């Protein structure tokens, strides 16, 4: 776990802004609602990769099948915690984070798949980093919850990174650096709404 933590921290070009953690402390209902949404989207991403590439890439298909199941288990864990805390789910506008990353995906193959795998690694690395940061500022129950999830996010990060390396070789290094810079810009820009993957927060609705 320590080695994976070091790797995720090196992979990211910046830490989470302190102001985001302050907003998370006072908007725990939004944090959990959007976290549940993120787990569903992570499962959907894995399934989409299975459908798009699985027929010609059995290794990717098997990995994404396992990943989708684990992401859905995490979704169920978040929703159980929400029910325990009497937090009712409601529609939330999506953060611009994932769309901002995917707007830079190349259209040709195999470059497109490589970019999607690198983005997957970045999103998981950021989630892991935020889970660890949240565990230091939230109540004991949430701290334990996010500490537990951080290990899984580290594994997901390593999975995406390994899949990208297998398919892109040494050529992925420069592309990773490009996406890490884009990700850092998204994380450090002001965001109107607080979300799990938002940048510097403005409003809290």
């Amino acid at each position: 776990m320590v080695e994976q933590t070091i790797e995720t921290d090196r992979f990211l070009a910046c830490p989470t802004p302190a102001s985001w953690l302050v907003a998370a402390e006072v908007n725990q209902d939004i944090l959990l609602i959007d976290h549940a949404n993120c787990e569903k989207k992570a499962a959907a991403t894995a399934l989409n990769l299975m459908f798009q590439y699985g027929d010609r890439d059995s290794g990717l298909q098997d990995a994404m099948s396992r990943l989708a199941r684990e992401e859905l288990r995490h979704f169920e864990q978040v929703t159980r915690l929400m029910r325990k805390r009497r937090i009712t789910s409601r529609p939330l506008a999506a953060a611009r984070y994932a769309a901002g990353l995917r707007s830079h995906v190349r259209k040709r193959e195999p470059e497109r798949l490589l970019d999607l795998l690198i983005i997957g690694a970045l999103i998981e690395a950021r989630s892991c980093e935020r889970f660890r940061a949240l565990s230091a500022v939230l109540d004991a129950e949430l701290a334990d919850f996010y500490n537990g999830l951080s290990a899984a996010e580290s594994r997901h990060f390593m999975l995406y990174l390994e899949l990208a390396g297998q398919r892109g070789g040494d050529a992925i290094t420069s592309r990773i650096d490009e996406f890490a810079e884009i990700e850092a810009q998204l994380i450090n820009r002001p965001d109107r709404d607080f979300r799990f993957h938002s940048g510097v927060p403005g409003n809290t609705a």
Side-chain angles (χ1 to χ4, degrees), residues 109-126:
E109 298 290 1
E111 291 84 0
R112 180 177 183 274
L113 173 58
L114 183 62
D115 285 353
L116 290 172
L117 293 172
I118 291 171
I119 288 172
L122 270 168
I123 292 174
E124 298 292 347
R126 180 60 65 188

Side-chain angles (χ1 to χ4, degrees), residues 96-141:
R96 57 181 168 72
Y97 177 80
L101 288 170
R102 292 189 178 115
S103 69
H104 296 272
V105 170
R106 292 170 288 187
K107 299 186 184 300
R108 294 177 56 184
E109 298 290 1
E111 291 84 0
R112 180 177 183 274
L113 173 58
L114 183 62
D115 285 353
L116 290 172
L117 293 172
I118 291 171
I119 288 172
L122 270 168
I123 292 174
E124 298 292 347
R126 180 60 65 188
S127 297
C128 180
E129 186 257 357
R130 289 203 158 172
F131 287 157
R132 294 196 312 272
L134 284 167
S135 69
V137 300
L138 299 180
D139 63 73
E141 182 180 48

Side-chain angles (χ1 to χ4, degrees), residues 40-182:
K40 283 194 293 185
K41 291 174 185 175
T45 294
L47 290 172
N48 285 337
L49 288 171
M50 282 181 63
F51 279 110
Q52 292 176 31
Y53 299 100
D55 289 344
R56 56 186 184 272
D57 192 330
S58 60
L60 180 69
Q61 178 170 263
D62 292 346
M64 291 298 104
S65 176
R66 293 190 295 270
L67 180 59
R69 291 196 298 272
E70 186 163 17
E71 300 289 16
L72 287 174
R73 286 197 296 272
H74 292 169
F75 165 73
E76 293 164 1
Q77 290 170 1
V78 180
T79 54
R80 281 198 297 270
L81 188 56
M82 287 169 57
R83 287 193 294 271
K84 181 178 180 181
R85 292 179 171 234
R86 298 183 180 179
I87 297 172
T88 302
S89 183
R90 64 180 188 272
L92 294 176
R96 57 181 168 72
Y97 177 80
L101 288 170
R102 292 189 178 115
S103 69
H104 296 272
V105 170
R106 292 170 288 187
K107 299 186 184 300
R108 294 177 56 184
E109 298 290 1
E111 291 84 0
R112 180 177 183 274
L113 173 58
L114 183 62
D115 285 353
L116 290 172
L117 293 172
I118 291 171
I119 288 172
L122 270 168
I123 292 174
E124 298 292 347
R126 180 60 65 188
S127 297
C128 180
E129 186 257 357
R130 289 203 158 172
F131 287 157
R132 294 196 312 272
L134 284 167
S135 69
V137 300
L138 299 180
D139 63 73
E141 182 180 48
L142 283 177
D144 287 344
F145 178 63
Y146 281 123
N147 265 326
L149 286 184
S150 67
E153 298 304 298
S154 292
R155 292 196 308 274
H156 298 172
F157 155 72
M158 295 297 291
L159 172 63
Y160 273 116
L161 192 59
E162 180 180 354
L163 290 169
Q166 290 169 353
R167 286 149 185 82
D170 294 337
I172 70 169
T173 302
S174 61
R175 194 62 176 159
I176 287 172
D177 291 342
E178 291 173 18
F179 270 112
E181 183 57 35
I182 293 166

